[in-house]
Amino acid sequence: MYNALVRRDRRFEGVFFIGVKTTGIFCRPTCSARKPKRENVEFFPTAAAALSAGYRACLRCQPLSQPLEPPPWLAALRDTVDRDPARRLRDADLRARKLEPATTRRLFKKHYGMTFHAYARARRIGAALSTIRSRNTPMLQLQRAAGYESESAFRQACEKLLGDTAPAIRDASILHARWINTPLGPMIALADEAGLRLLEFIDRRALERQLRRIRSSLRAAIVPGDHPHLHDAASWLASYFAGRHPAAAPRLAPRGSEFQQHAWNALLQIPLGQTRSYAQQAAAIGRPTATRAVARANGDNAIAIIIPCHRVIGADGSPTGYGGGVWRKIWLLEHEQKMAGALLHR
Ligand SMILES: [Zn+2]
């Protein structure tokens, strides 16, 4: 991909996007701007993934624009979200700007390749998670990379999503947060002394809700920084994606009801390279009629990959839904089949 980038290879247009760490801007592979050094580049499968990772669209190659120019009012609407991603624009706000909500949403999707809400959500998450990925970067630089005009607005956006990130936290417990890059896109991991609390792809639709839930149930503030459990999770993922059988899993401490804990434990019992149906998983916890509840519990699993909810598939063998996207589920299952095969033949 880096070679394609340096050659400005048109065949890779739309195949991947690049984020330039030093500027906080993302581009098409064919962008006419001077090409960044390899170590300053990261790759994304979609523009939405680059946005969720905290990057802003390049003004030169306009990676969000389709070949046809968006009307100025639509571009202006996107600018509004860029300037203040924490603010949720509702139908009433659109009408106040003399925009008809349904038409606006349809045209936004047509021009930018994702829904208006997906765009706003990606910008909010991206802006707040910038604090986690680069804790050594000065606040002002983060704020500019996230596109905020004032530091207070940026802090507010972070606090809304991550809790009080001010250094003087007394009494409140602390959830340590770390950014982990994987071949399937960046993930965020949260842990405290009890163990790993969350591991999710940053572009997952439910991430905002999960972060809020975990923060309030533990009454904790989320603070960027490493922790032994996060370190374990990162090395587990590195072995897993390299196709090696990960030695020890990090200590897991997912938050959930008793039923959910049973459902998740059943997931941990499914061997690598195998799959189960929801009915089989329900039977495994002694609740054979609870297939819907089991499916819901799997959807609420906040520790992706390590608690392998992707190993549960439809009774007809179809991959069914997956919080991180069905394409990731298929990729994980194929990867595990190869891994299991390689382990058998060793
Ligand atoms: Zn560019």
Side-chain angles (χ1 to χ4, degrees):
M1 286 191 288
Y2 187 71
N3 286 337
L5 175 68
V6 171
R7 293 196 310 265
R8 300 196 169 95
D9 191 332
R10 297 225 151 262
R11 290 170 304 166
F12 289 85
E13 190 58 64
V15 174
F16 67 85
F17 296 83
I18 64 141
V20 183
K21 295 177 196 166
T22 42
T23 58
I25 281 173
F26 79 99
C27 286
R28 301 170 185 276
T30 53
C31 184
S32 58
R34 200 165 60 86
K35 294 301 179 185
K37 291 192 182 120
R38 174 67 189 91
E39 64 267 27
N40 292 331
V41 172
E42 57 185 325
F43 299 95
F44 299 97
T46 59
L51 273 173
S52 306
Y55 289 97
R56 265 185 306 152
C58 170
L59 291 176
R60 203 177 296 190
C61 65
Q62 307 207 355
L64 285 168
S65 306
Q66 303 300 311
L68 125 134
E69 271 297 289
W73 61 267
L74 195 61
L77 180 65
R78 183 163 69 85
D79 282 346
T80 306
V81 178
D82 276 343
R83 273 198 305 276
D84 186 4
R87 191 172 143 219
R88 282 164 205 259
L89 287 176
R90 300 181 195 284
D91 284 359
D93 299 314
L94 297 179
R95 283 197 206 94
R97 297 166 154 251
K98 308 233 183 307
L99 301 174
E100 202 281 304
T103 313
T104 304
R105 280 196 291 268
R106 186 171 50 76
L107 283 175
F108 195 97
K109 175 115 199 267
K110 183 172 159 210
H111 281 279
Y112 299 119
M114 69 187 88
T115 65
F116 178 59
H117 287 293
Y119 181 85
R121 186 174 54 87
R123 286 291 287 144
R124 281 198 302 276
I125 292 184
L129 294 192
S130 301
T131 59
I132 288 178
R133 69 206 314 248
S134 37
R135 64 193 150 113
N136 295 325
T137 313
M139 206 59 169
L140 184 65
Q141 224 168 307
L142 286 174
Q143 166 208 328
R144 288 198 180 134
Y148 284 87
E149 276 161 2
S150 80
E151 185 183 330
S152 62
F154 179 58
R155 270 187 194 279
Q156 254 174 24
C158 295
E159 283 166 18
K160 220 166 172 178
L161 189 60
L162 302 177
D164 187 9
T165 54
I169 301 161
R170 310 229 167 90
D171 305 331
S173 59
I174 288 181
L175 275 164
H176 302 266
R178 179 175 161 171
W179 186 273
I180 302 174
N181 280 317
T182 80
L184 294 185
M187 300 184 87
I188 172 179
L190 298 184
D192 57 15
E193 294 311 312
L196 189 65
R197 300 286 193 180
L198 177 138
L199 178 65
E200 262 310 338
F201 291 102
I202 53 151
D203 58 356
R204 181 174 177 184
R205 184 180 284 269
L207 181 59
E208 270 181 300
R209 184 163 46 83
Q210 280 178 328
L211 289 173
R212 262 199 310 272
R213 190 186 290 166
I214 200 164
R215 226 181 63 205
S216 63
S217 84
L218 291 168
R219 294 171 188 282
I222 298 177
V223 172
D226 213 352
H227 183 279
H229 297 318
L230 295 177
H231 178 83
D232 290 351
S235 17
W236 190 96
L237 283 170
S239 312
Y240 175 89
F241 279 108
R244 292 190 306 270
H245 212 319
R251 197 199 296 163
L252 305 178
R255 297 284 289 179
S257 67
E258 205 182 323
F259 179 85
Q260 287 174 320
Q261 302 283 354
H262 284 306
W264 298 334
N265 272 326
L267 295 173
L268 288 165
Q269 308 305 317
I270 309 173
L272 183 93
Q274 296 187 23
T275 56
R276 296 285 185 271
S277 68
Y278 294 98
Q280 285 173 320
Q281 186 190 353
I285 60 170
R287 297 281 301 274
T289 57
T291 49
R292 272 164 187 269
V294 157
R296 259 198 313 276
N298 290 3
D300 287 332
N301 170 31
I303 303 187
I305 309 183
I306 300 182
I307 297 182
C309 55
H310 58 276
R311 290 182 198 154
V312 179
I313 60 175
D316 58 354
S318 60
T320 66
Y322 184 58
V326 172
W327 67 275
R328 285 200 177 103
K329 185 166 182 171
I330 295 171
W331 193 99
L332 293 168
L333 290 174
E334 286 179 357
H335 178 63
E336 294 184 358
Q337 288 239 305
K338 276 183 257 163
M339 257 165 96
L343 291 168
L344 273 180
H345 295 105
R346 212 167 43 193

